[in-house]
């Protein structure tokens, strides 16, 4: 596992920049991330795949 520290508006590039993860907001104990990836790359939250209930979790999808 690679562990990185990032600040607001900083990014992580994956696979040569094919996938970009951006820190959008930090508020209290929560961090909002933006993930840009090609449409053929599946991006899923682990707790949804495992069926773990997360009543306060929110997902937003923005298409450019």
């Amino acid at each position: 596992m690679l562990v990185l520290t990032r600040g607001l508006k900083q990014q992580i590039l994956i696979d040569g920049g094919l996938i970009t993860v951006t820190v959008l907001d930090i508020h209290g104990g929560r961090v909002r991330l933006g993930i840009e990836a090609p449409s053929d790359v599946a991006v899923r939250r682990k707790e949804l795949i495992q069926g773990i209930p997360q009543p306060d979790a929110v997902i937003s999808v923005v298409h450019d």
Side-chain angles (χ1 to χ4, degrees):
M1 175 186 297
L2 174 65
V3 178
L4 301 171
T5 301
R6 301 278 72 202
L8 190 61
K9 305 297 181 193
Q10 291 184 323
Q11 297 179 321
I12 298 167
L13 303 178
I14 301 170
D15 197 12
L18 184 66
I19 300 168
T20 303
V21 179
T22 305
V23 179
L24 299 176
D25 188 34
I26 303 170
H27 186 73
R30 298 185 73 115
V31 177
R32 289 183 61 221
L33 300 174
I35 302 170
E36 296 178 64
S39 59
D40 63 328
V41 174
V43 178
R44 304 284 185 263
R45 292 187 354 236
K46 186 175 181 178
E47 67 272 11
L48 293 180
I49 292 173
Q50 293 178 332
I52 301 169
Q54 297 289 321
D56 62 343
V58 176
I59 250 190
S60 298
V61 176
V62 178
H63 298 280
D64 290 317

